Amino acid sequence: MTAPADPHRPSAAYDFTLRPLDPLTDAELVHGWMTHPRAACRQMRGATLTDVERAYMAIAASDHQEAFLGRYRGVPCFLMERYDPAYVELAGLYEPLPGDIGMHFFTAPPEVRVPGFTRGVLTAVLRELFADPATGRVVVAPAVRDTAVLARNASVGFRAETVIQKPEKEALLSFCTRERFFQGLGETALRRSGAAVPSRV
């Protein structure tokens, strides 16, 4: 697997596609990712295939969250989950604004580590989220001690605001606005859609 040398180049968006995750047909693939040692942060290392199916069936049945399977040049290699922070995960931990969307993403354990690939995935995920004109800010809450994730998030426009205490970790609530994201790409902040937005397949 190769990755774009510059994950911000306009044509890189065509390399990434997203489609809704199917809890049954995709479960075996996702189970392998979730139980890999690199996926410890997902807290599913001991999960069975049935556990993964049930977890993503619950997401599929929810009115407040969605899961997507991501591909790079046709090869499945990442997950993206989006959720309404007023109802899921961050409910009661901060006061959400209209247009706030919570997000998780996870890249599959690579056979060969490619510099810049994870940032390329994150850029594609943010393009997808901001393709919805209702999205004003993307919200994440990485662990306070995860300096690598915090630095990567900052490189695409996230700004940390406050420390919150989640059940599983002390987290740094961070936000990326539409304006900061597209300005960082050298594109208009008012962009809603277009050739650079990844498609779903």
Side-chain angles (χ1 to χ4, degrees), residues 37-87:
R38 182 172 172 267
C41 63
R42 299 288 298 190
Q43 299 181 330
M44 295 187 75
R45 286 279 302 280
T48 65
L49 178 60
T50 299
D51 292 333
V52 173
E53 290 176 348
R54 287 175 176 170
Y56 283 99
M57 286 177 69
I59 290 176
S62 173
D63 292 330
H64 304 297
Q65 53 188 332
E66 298 175 279
F68 298 86
L69 182 70
R71 300 183 181 192
Y72 177 69
R73 297 180 179 174
V75 179
C77 60
F78 68 98
L79 295 175
M80 185 265 277
E81 299 168 10
R82 65 182 176 191
Y83 62 91
D84 185 340
Y87 297 93

Side-chain angles (χ1 to χ4, degrees), residues 148-177:
V149 168
L150 295 175
R152 183 169 58 242
N153 288 352
S155 74
V156 297
F158 281 96
R159 289 185 182 172
E161 286 206 0
T162 187
V163 174
I164 59 173
Q165 185 62 56
K166 298 181 66 182
E168 75 280 11
K169 65 184 178 183
E170 188 177 47
L172 192 56
L173 193 64
S174 306
F175 301 89
C176 181
T177 64

Side-chain angles (χ1 to χ4, degrees), residues 99-120:
D100 279 3
I101 291 293
M103 179 272 290
H104 300 292
F105 82 99
F106 174 77
T107 55
E111 295 179 7
V112 178
R113 191 171 297 277
V114 180
F117 184 74
T118 302
R119 188 182 178 199

